[in-house]
Amino acid sequence: MTKIEPDRAALEIAYGQLRTTRPLDELLKVPNLKATLYAVARRHMKRRDRFDPKKMQANDND
């Protein structure tokens, strides 16, 4: 199974969650920090996929 590649928006949200002082582009250059950033971004993307705004608007809570 292939890993999901996070988009730029997910990377920026993950960058905000990490609360670091280094710029995002600098984090992407360091392999260990890039792996951490990608892991947090993938987790964000999974949560983003579970959210269904149409279901929330219809108040259809299962």
Side-chain angles (χ1 to χ4, degrees), residues 2-3 27 37 62:
T2 61
K3 288 187 177 181
L27 286 179
L37 185 67
D62 290 341

Side-chain angles (χ1 to χ4, degrees), residues 6-15 17 37-51:
D7 56 353
R8 184 69 181 192
L11 287 173
E12 289 178 3
I13 290 171
Y15 171 71
Q17 291 175 352
L37 185 67
Y38 269 52
V40 174
R42 282 189 199 102
R43 186 176 67 201
H44 167 72
M45 289 180 73
K46 286 180 185 177
R47 280 193 223 130
R48 184 174 67 183
D49 286 341
R50 285 189 296 205
F51 179 72

Side-chain angles (χ1 to χ4, degrees), residues 8-59:
R8 184 69 181 192
L11 287 173
E12 289 178 3
I13 290 171
Y15 171 71
Q17 291 175 352
L18 291 177
R19 298 180 185 166
T20 182
T21 57
R22 288 184 171 184
L24 176 60
D25 293 329
E26 189 176 318
L27 286 179
L28 292 173
K29 292 178 185 175
V30 180
N32 290 339
L33 296 175
K34 181 179 178 180
T36 303
L37 185 67
Y38 269 52
V40 174
R42 282 189 199 102
R43 186 176 67 201
H44 167 72
M45 289 180 73
K46 286 180 185 177
R47 280 193 223 130
R48 184 174 67 183
D49 286 341
R50 285 189 296 205
F51 179 72
D52 187 6
K54 296 277 187 178
K55 190 174 185 180
M56 296 295 286
Q57 288 172 350
N59 201 19

